[in-house]
Amino acid sequence: AFSSGVKTVTVTGGAGQISYSLLLRIASGAFLGPDQRIRLKILDLPFMQDSLKGVQMELHDCAFETLDEVIVTDDLTTAFKDTDYCFLVGSKPRGPGMERGDLLKDNGKIFVGVGQAINDNASRDCKTIVVGNPANTNCLICAHYAKDIAKKNFTAMTRLDHNRAAAQLALKANTNVSNVKKVAVWGNHSPTMFPDIKNTTINGKAARSVVDTKWETEHFIPVVQQRGAAIIKARK
Ligand SMILES: NC(=O)c1ccc[n+]([C@@H]2O[C@H](COP(=O)([O-])OP(=O)(O)OC[C@H]3O[C@@H](n4cnc5c(N)ncnc54)[C@H](O)[C@@H]3O)[C@@H](O)[C@H]2O)c1
């Protein structure tokens, strides 16, 4: 039986690569469970509306019982009106030769407008996750402009950096990753990101008593920072 009430979920950048995998999971119930009906609102730029209609057609064709309605739009107010959950994926990807700073100049502006639209339209306890990079800085901008919504309702998806750090520690200690706890990452998803093991434990012991400083500074930190580039190079 479905729980009463429909939850509204907004996804920005809905015509892009990441959203293509994400939308299906939200619509199928993998996000809010099989008993929760969902109204999905998908935003992208005006010139992406044809592509977005294709995504809408595919979602209709899935015939998910969890999916009450699919609204596609290029209008911020329509996208965020009464929304309960926001996935902010829409942003400009980094082009050849672009630095993080250039990316931030373009993408920062997007998150000013989106933050204001959330503030003006969304449910007062709306939860937001920022995916578009640099995710944590964009999240800070968004939360700042959504000034009437509690800051604790905003988070940035930096899980990949966290997971990379936890996995390297597990490999080094020859243990399962579930035994690695309290890994922190600081900074943007970029080569300056800093994996922090100050409070980390491995099998209940302080990580720094399990791994030595030389390995931490000369291997662990650069490997985690440069992992994305290393994978692209290896898979070419
Ligand atoms: N945080 C993470 O772990 C993580 C993981 C993967 C990707 N990303 C980031 O997610 C973002 C999207 O990646 P992608 O591969 O889907 O890129 P993409 O280029 O395929 O898709 C981005 C979409 O956003 C749209 N868009 C751009 N500006 C917009 C705006 N102002 N409003 C609404 N939509 C807008 C584009 O038209 C495009 O359809 C990138 O910034 C990427 O770096 C983050």
Side-chain angles (χ1 to χ4, degrees), residues 143-215:
H144 177 79
Y145 282 90
K147 57 183 190 320
D148 303 327
I149 312 264
K151 296 279 178 283
K152 69 171 194 295
N153 289 5
F154 291 83
T155 188
M157 201 173 83
T158 50
R159 189 79 195 175
L160 178 57
D161 293 318
H162 166 275
N163 289 354
R164 284 171 170 165
Q168 286 304 312
L169 291 166
L171 285 169
K172 174 71 175 171
N174 198 18
T175 189
N176 188 277
V177 76
S178 62
N179 300 320
V180 180
K181 311 268 194 225
K182 296 188 188 165
V183 174
V185 293
W186 301 94
N188 281 324
H189 180 65
S190 78
T192 56
M193 183 273 310
F194 182 73
D196 177 356
I197 63 166
K198 187 164 176 251
N199 297 305
T200 304
T201 60
I202 303 174
N203 289 313
K205 285 192 229 145
R208 281 184 176 152
S209 71
V210 180
V211 303
D212 60 71
T213 311
K214 189 174 158 63
W215 180 83

Side-chain angles (χ1 to χ4, degrees), residues 12-19 43-45 47-48 89-93 107 110 130-133 135 157-160:
T12 72
Q17 294 299 321
I18 298 297
S19 291
L43 176 83
D44 210 300
L45 297 171
F47 72 96
M48 295 303 285
V89 186
S91 60
K92 211 167 151 178
N107 285 343
I110 297 176
V130 178
V131 180
N133 279 316
M157 201 173 83
T158 50
R159 189 79 195 175
L160 178 57

Side-chain angles (χ1 to χ4, degrees), residues 61-196:
D61 290 354
C62 290
F64 290 127
E65 291 184 16
T66 38
L67 192 57
D68 221 45
E69 199 180 354
V70 187
I71 297 159
V72 296
T73 184
D74 59 8
D75 176 57
L76 284 167
T77 303
T78 308
F80 290 104
K81 192 84 204 155
D82 298 329
T83 194
D84 299 298
Y85 299 95
C86 306
F87 288 81
L88 306 183
V89 186
S91 60
K92 211 167 151 178
R94 187 151 60 146
M98 266 175 92
E99 295 295 330
R100 285 274 152 183
D102 300 324
L103 191 65
L104 194 55
K105 256 184 248 148
D106 290 339
N107 285 343
K109 279 188 220 125
I110 297 176
F111 290 86
V112 171
V114 167
Q116 285 166 340
I118 290 174
N119 199 56
D120 294 345
N121 298 287
S123 146
R124 295 300 87 181
D125 55 8
C126 169
K127 309 264 189 309
T128 296
I129 184 163
V130 178
V131 180
N133 279 316
N136 50 354
T137 307
N138 290 338
C139 184
L140 188 70
I141 295 169
C142 184
H144 177 79
Y145 282 90
K147 57 183 190 320
D148 303 327
I149 312 264
K151 296 279 178 283
K152 69 171 194 295
N153 289 5
F154 291 83
T155 188
M157 201 173 83
T158 50
R159 189 79 195 175
L160 178 57
D161 293 318
H162 166 275
N163 289 354
R164 284 171 170 165
Q168 286 304 312
L169 291 166
L171 285 169
K172 174 71 175 171
N174 198 18
T175 189
N176 188 277
V177 76
S178 62
N179 300 320
V180 180
K181 311 268 194 225
K182 296 188 188 165
V183 174
V185 293
W186 301 94
N188 281 324
H189 180 65
S190 78
T192 56
M193 183 273 310
F194 182 73
D196 177 356

